[in-house]
Amino acid sequence: MSTLQNIVIIGGGLAGAKTAEALREKGYDGAVTLIAAEDHLPYERPPMSKDYLVGKATFDDALVHPADWYQEHDITVRQRTRATAIDTAEHQVTLDDGSQLSYDKLVLATGATARHLPIEGADAAGVFYLRTVEDADAIHGTFGEGKRLVLIGGGWIGLEVAAAARATGTNVTVLEGAKLPLLRVLGDEIAQVFADLHTSHGVDLRTEVQVAEIVTEGGRATGVRLAGGEVVPADAVVIGIGVAPVTDIAEDAGIAVDNGVLVDASLRSSDPDVFAVGDIANHQHPILGRRVRVEHWATALNQPAAAVAALLGEESIYTELPYFYSDQYDLGSEYIGNAIPGSYERVIVRGDLAAREFVAFWVDHERRIQAAMSVNVWDVIDQIKPLIAAGTSVDPDKLADPGVPYAEL
């Protein structure tokens, strides 16, 4: 049994809860304290822009574990509490009430915060960001027939909110600076699929626009002024321009930080007694051969088990490929791998692009698959994953042919 007596987890989201769960599953029987800034037990965030936002799921459905699970597993959850400092020399965490917690090992799961748009009117009433359940509740309250919602940013969150709003009859305008939404993530051809999806459902999608200010009246948002002077009317505005990893407490403690907390293949930081998981982990990925920081549900779900194994002294590296999914209208998609701009030469499509039933592959100059996305095609991601992980060189013609099994590529 481990000689560790106290393990502290900073962060009350999915990654923090899964870390606590993994500790007990691994047989650790010492003290586990989870520091949660929100006034909630840990919950999953994807429903906040999907089923919960639409009203198809309850908040309890999003909880990682019910309250009695933490009691049964002897895990202390400190809700409405923030960690303000880490003393790595003394192995102590200072909390916002001035108290201190000692730790033998520390896991950082502080997640990310929404990036704010530095323009006039961005702090007005009726302007929202989506990160918490309270944010989702507030945004849902702006939906309804005849209401006008303007979304600044055509990323995953912006498009999922757009789809949710349109389902309630809300008039939706999406403002995107690039020539297509999701362009950097997907490239021209596949990004166009999502652009067409939203316009076909009545979204006023405006691309290559620059937002100048949020127009207000009586302290409340009434529209968004574009750089050319046009004002797009709005009853509410949602800003979705990405998130930033919450790393200030790590950086202040002298832990190496660069676009997240720098961790090795085992998710250990520059301090051997501090690990990082989830949105903040800038991970040296052994399969991809480079650092990657992934802001998606599957990372928060899967990294904790690998980190806990290493924390308890086992040989452990995290090898799962990045994965995410998105549901918009009647389109469901899954993405595996990591195809950053410049890492691939072309996109090969297997299936019917126009019908939105296909699998897309991002392939590099050596004919290796960097990433794949299935759109309304199911049960293929697990077949494709080994091809990406092994760096298999594939025949492009066979890859595009639905008649060729993935095992024969």
Side-chain angles (χ1 to χ4, degrees), residues 70-114:
Y70 296 95
Q71 296 168 2
E72 291 168 3
H73 290 82
D74 194 22
I75 293 165
T76 301
V77 181
R78 300 279 297 268
Q79 294 171 227
R80 304 180 301 280
T81 303
R82 291 185 178 276
T84 58
I86 301 166
D87 185 333
T88 56
E90 296 297 327
H91 282 59
Q92 286 188 331
V93 175
T94 300
L95 306 181
D96 54 4
D97 63 1
S99 64
Q100 293 183 319
L101 287 174
S102 296
Y103 69 85
D104 295 309
K105 300 288 184 180
L106 177 67
V107 180
L108 302 177
T110 46
T113 186

Side-chain angles (χ1 to χ4, degrees), residues 4-16:
L4 304 176
Q5 298 299 312
N6 293 291
I7 294 177
V8 174
I9 304 162
I10 302 178
L14 175 61

Side-chain angles (χ1 to χ4, degrees), residues 18-41:
K18 283 295 179 179
T19 300
E21 178 183 317
L23 283 165
R24 292 306 187 219
E25 287 185 346
K26 280 285 187 182
Y28 172 72
D29 60 2
V32 177
T33 304
L34 191 154
I35 309 303
E38 291 187 56
D39 190 15
H40 303 288
L41 291 172

Side-chain angles (χ1 to χ4, degrees), residues 8 13 47 81 115 275 291 369:
V8 174
T81 303
R115 294 185 185 275
F275 292 73
R291 287 197 170 276
I369 303 171

Side-chain angles (χ1 to χ4, degrees), residues 41-89:
L41 291 172
Y43 61 94
E44 300 191 29
R45 299 197 186 274
M48 300 303 108
S49 62
K50 298 180 176 72
D51 285 354
Y52 181 82
L53 184 61
V54 180
K56 292 182 179 179
T58 68
F59 179 66
D60 284 351
D61 295 329
L63 290 175
V64 184
H65 297 297
D68 57 6
W69 182 91
Y70 296 95
Q71 296 168 2
E72 291 168 3
H73 290 82
D74 194 22
I75 293 165
T76 301
V77 181
R78 300 279 297 268
Q79 294 171 227
R80 304 180 301 280
T81 303
R82 291 185 178 276
T84 58
I86 301 166
D87 185 333
T88 56

